[in-house]
Amino acid sequence: MFKVVVKDTYEEVSSEAFKVMKEVLSQDKPVLGLATGSSPVGLYKKMIADHNSNGTSYKDILTWNLDEYVGIPRSHDQSYWTFMHENLFDHIDIPDENVHVPLGETDDLEASCKAYEESMEGHQIDLQVLGIGSDGHIAFNEPGTPFDSLTHVMDLTEQTRKDNARFFGDDISQVPTQAVTMGLASIMKAKKIIVIATGANKAEAVKGMLQGPVTTDCPASILQNHPDVCVFLDKEAASLL
Ligand code: F6R
């Protein structure tokens, strides 16, 4: 079931998302599912500000990230490991051992996917943060991904690589061609999910997620089957609803 909130600015969208986060943070030892990309950055800034001003502590919080590029080391400036440290982890008091990001550079990707999925066993995610791709992907589950998928290796679509070229000096040839990603079934296990989407290039995917048929052509449409999803949009992302 969806609750949809539409706001004028990214700042307001992030504030609304933070309200939900804050509620979850007040629970005993919450488990967070985290995303990278532009969409959650405003939310992470609010989490950092709240940590600094109100002393909200992350010492007992466990996190699992959605995905990581294949073939680039954690030390790469565009790895999602680096992204999470720069945009959140380095600015709060979360212990290193509480943080989980898939390994994208390893000799045995299959084993690494299996280990990641197993690491989540017994830790239901209380709040999963999601963005949505312009092709309807959530995490890096591209169109066609089976709904029962667990953590797996995904070939990125041309569209996704184009969208993400902005992080690689606008050079698509520098964007990795594959990612390790939590699967759609892994994501659906979360107790509560928030989706943040802004900008006109997300409008079609947002419409597919909320109002289209539940189909693997739009992976985000599976969220129609989840009992508790809050969607935070600006007017551009909501323009086709
Ligand atoms: C990132 C992720 C992706 C992004 C999506 C939107 O961890 O899982 O699904 O959320 O590609 O990216 P942005 O927010 O950069 O538009």
Side-chain angles (χ1 to χ4, degrees), residues 34-40 65-67 80 130-133 137-140 160 164 166-167 202:
L34 299 176
T36 55
S38 306
S39 304
N65 259 79
L66 289 170
D67 39 24
Y80 283 170
L130 295 179
I132 179 171
H137 71 225
I138 48 175
F140 272 136
T160 296
N164 288 3
R166 68 189 192 281
F167 297 114
K202 299 291 175 71

Side-chain angles (χ1 to χ4, degrees), residues 128-147:
Q128 175 65 60
V129 178
L130 295 179
I132 179 171
S134 63
D135 64 359
H137 71 225
I138 48 175
F140 272 136
N141 294 288
E142 298 285 25
T145 305
F147 288 149

Side-chain angles (χ1 to χ4, degrees), residues 17 20-21 24 30-36 40 43-44 62-67 116 120 123-131 138-139 181-196 223 226 228-232:
V20 177
M21 175 61 76
V24 172
V31 179
L32 302 179
L34 299 176
T36 55
L43 166 65
Y44 296 159
L62 298 174
T63 68
W64 271 267
N65 259 79
L66 289 170
D67 39 24
Y116 198 68
M120 286 185 277
H123 302 283
Q124 189 189 16
I125 287 176
D126 291 294
L127 181 63
Q128 175 65 60
V129 178
L130 295 179
I138 48 175
T181 180
M182 268 190 208
L184 293 167
S186 334
I187 292 169
M188 289 293 280
K189 288 180 196 164
K191 213 180 270 177
K192 189 178 188 78
I193 295 177
I194 59 177
V195 184
I196 302 170
L223 298 177
H226 191 281
D228 190 358
V229 184
C230 298
V231 182
F232 299 102

Side-chain angles (χ1 to χ4, degrees), residues 64 102-103 106 108-121 150-153 180-182 186 189:
W64 271 267
L103 254 188
T106 157
D108 191 344
L109 279 172
E110 289 306 317
S112 159
C113 291
K114 195 159 171 274
Y116 198 68
E117 194 66 39
E118 282 169 5
S119 73
M120 286 185 277
E121 273 167 23
L150 299 173
T151 302
H152 62 111
V153 178
V180 173
T181 180
M182 268 190 208
S186 334
K189 288 180 196 164

